[in-house]
Amino acid sequence: MAVSSTSRLLNGGARMPLLGLGTWKSEPGVVGKAVSVAIDSGYRHIDGAYSYMNEAEVGAAVKKKIAEGVVTRENLFIVSKLWCTFHALEDVKPSLMKSLSALQLTYLDLYLIHFPVGFQKVPGELFPVQEGKVLVTDIDYVDTWRAMEGLVDEGLVKSIGVSNFNISQLKRLLSIARITPAVNQVELHPYLTQPELVEFCASKDIALTAFSPLGSPGRALLNDSADPKDLLKDPVVKTIAEKHKKSPAQVLLRFHVQRNIATIPKSVTPARIQENAEIFDFELMDEDLQSLLALNRNWRVCQLTLLQDHQFYPFKDP
Ligand SMILES: NC(=O)c1ccc[n+]([C@@H]2O[C@H](COP(=O)([O-])OP(=O)(O)OC[C@H]3O[C@@H](n4cnc5c(N)ncnc54)[C@H](OP(=O)(O)O)[C@@H]3O)[C@@H](O)[C@H]2O)c1
């Protein structure tokens, strides 16, 4: 089955493919090739962000695939994210326009508030730091959301959503939102299953996208509670993979799509990009899903502990 045939309906009526290509840490010089290989392999969802600093190359690769007739713009689902330095109302639209211009697109399928905490604007700095502290602001993400809604009104984005929001932040947002967030993109994998958040989002028809679905192997260790390489080598994951004659990565990705959760593995390696797409030709059994869920240890790759004293720091809840 083609990967593009498996998508989920968002609350605003658009469809989001359940498999997307992650592009964080995909360096300029290689990210374009990764996007091309992904589109050739059937991916129709590309996850990006202003802060990944590679949108121009992503956009060029997308444009080339459209020009070659491999795919149409309408069949693609392109995501970007509003970075923390642009939370002020007047900065939201200019920030989107920067991403659209880099991507050479006239609209995005989904635009997310990347993180609930805002940072001060310091020219050229994604993480403005002074004396070891990130220069944060108190701008309320609820106000940022009103500007995000304006982008939908203007037809510049089809859907809007959030990323790294916890349940209380979603509740606060829902209490004022004219447009319900379509998606919450959060870290999810068998070591961080977040059952309350998954249930809450389902109850509000907010779709989830799982980032770092492989546990972000190869990433510098940001958390000393587990080795980030463990997830792909976990004996339970390996046993399930052997049973289905699939790779551990394919099991970890199938774990999400089978639960109607989108997932966006990052790779710049053509063989892995292809491997990660081959997840629609097998089915995990209920007992497999239960075994994977039982691996939960509330272990996060992405903690951003530098921000933990901020009122909008989202990771205090388990
Ligand atoms: N919203 C947010 O705050 C947020 C935060 C983190 C990530 N994200 C998004 O989620 C995407 C994925 O997360 P991530 O990059 O942290 O981690 P990930 O997708 O869990 O892991 C990526 C790593 O796994 C390797 N890999 C990929 N496929 C593999 C396979 N089949 N077998 C073995 N290794 C494999 C990649 O190596 P190679 O590239 O060398 O092949 C890369 O080192 C990001 O790229 C980004 O788009 C969003």
Side-chain angles (χ1 to χ4, degrees):
M1 192 195 301
V3 290
S4 54
S5 67
T6 302
S7 57
R8 70 156 287 168
L9 194 61
L10 301 180
N11 55 30
R15 293 200 76 88
M16 174 167 71
L18 288 174
L19 175 69
L21 179 75
T23 61
W24 184 46
K25 297 250 170 101
S26 299
E27 303 290 337
V30 293
V31 70
K33 173 88 190 301
V35 169
S36 299
V37 170
I39 292 176
D40 286 341
S41 305
Y43 291 64
R44 294 296 176 260
H45 172 169
I46 310 290
D47 181 75
Y50 173 82
S51 64
Y52 301 166
M53 306 302 285
N54 58 13
E55 288 190 315
E57 192 169 323
V58 170
V62 165
K63 189 176 179 184
K64 189 156 179 280
K65 283 293 151 195
I66 293 173
E68 286 171 3
V70 176
V71 73
T72 61
R73 171 67 188 93
E74 295 69 38
N75 286 333
L76 287 169
F77 190 89
I78 309 285
V79 183
S80 185
K81 309 184 192 89
L82 177 80
W83 184 239
C84 305
T85 44
F86 305 116
H87 278 203
L89 239 79
E90 65 274 16
D91 289 332
V92 172
K93 183 174 172 188
S95 180
L96 168 73
M97 297 314 286
K98 270 191 206 160
S99 285
L100 283 178
S101 160
L103 289 162
Q104 303 185 59
L105 297 175
T106 54
Y107 71 91
L108 286 180
D109 295 280
L110 179 64
Y111 198 42
L112 306 174
I113 299 180
H114 205 147
F115 200 75
V117 178
F119 300 167
Q120 291 177 30
K121 254 197 310 183
V122 175
E125 297 287 338
L126 285 176
F127 271 94
V129 176
Q130 204 171 54
E131 290 165 11
K133 291 210 168 201
V134 183
L135 298 172
V136 293
T137 68
D138 280 327
I139 297 172
D140 193 329
Y141 53 79
V142 154
D143 294 325
T144 309
W145 187 252
R146 297 186 209 279
M148 297 285 283
E149 291 176 328
L151 304 177
V152 179
D153 299 338
E154 287 192 64
L156 294 168
V157 300
K158 302 271 185 207
S159 303
I160 48 175
V162 294
S163 179
N164 296 301
F165 273 47
N166 65 23
I167 294 175
S168 35
Q169 291 168 337
L170 288 172
K171 281 186 179 161
R172 235 183 124 238
L173 199 55
L174 288 170
S175 72
I176 63 96
R178 182 165 58 80
I179 300 176
T180 300
V183 170
N184 187 19
Q185 183 182 121
V186 296
E187 182 176 344
L188 280 178
H189 45 66
Y191 288 171
L192 183 71
T193 56
Q194 309 210 56
E196 296 88 359
L197 183 65
V198 170
E199 196 184 320
F200 179 79
C201 287
S203 74
K204 301 294 178 193
D205 198 16
I206 299 170
L208 281 162
T209 297
F211 75 64
S212 302
L214 309 176
S216 215
R219 183 170 169 184
L221 194 59
L222 298 181
N223 175 336
D224 59 10
S225 59
D227 185 318
K229 292 189 175 73
D230 279 357
L231 195 49
L232 282 170
K233 292 186 178 147
D234 186 285
V236 172
V237 178
K238 280 173 80 174
T239 303
I240 295 172
E242 280 157 21
K243 183 167 89 180
H244 291 279
K245 299 194 170 39
K246 284 286 178 178
S247 68
Q250 288 167 330
V251 166
L252 292 170
L253 300 174
R254 180 78 201 170
F255 169 68
H256 296 298
V257 302
Q258 211 163 304
R259 300 164 72 223
N260 216 20
I261 293 174
T263 188
I264 47 173
K266 173 263 177 185
S267 179
V268 294
T269 312
R272 287 176 173 170
I273 294 170
Q274 176 70 44
E275 173 189 332
N276 295 345
E278 290 167 6
I279 55 170
F280 294 97
D281 57 357
F282 76 111
E283 188 138 9
L284 295 172
M285 296 152 79
D286 255 2
E287 66 196 45
D288 300 330
L289 291 174
Q290 292 315 319
S291 305
L292 292 167
L293 286 167
L295 293 177
N296 184 40
R297 53 191 74 171
N298 298 330
W299 175 81
R300 283 180 194 280
V301 179
C302 178
Q303 296 207 66
L304 289 175
T305 43
L306 268 177
L307 302 171
Q308 66 189 351
D309 295 331
H310 195 278
Q311 60 171 330
F312 298 142
Y313 180 72
F315 305 142
K316 283 185 183 130
D317 297 348

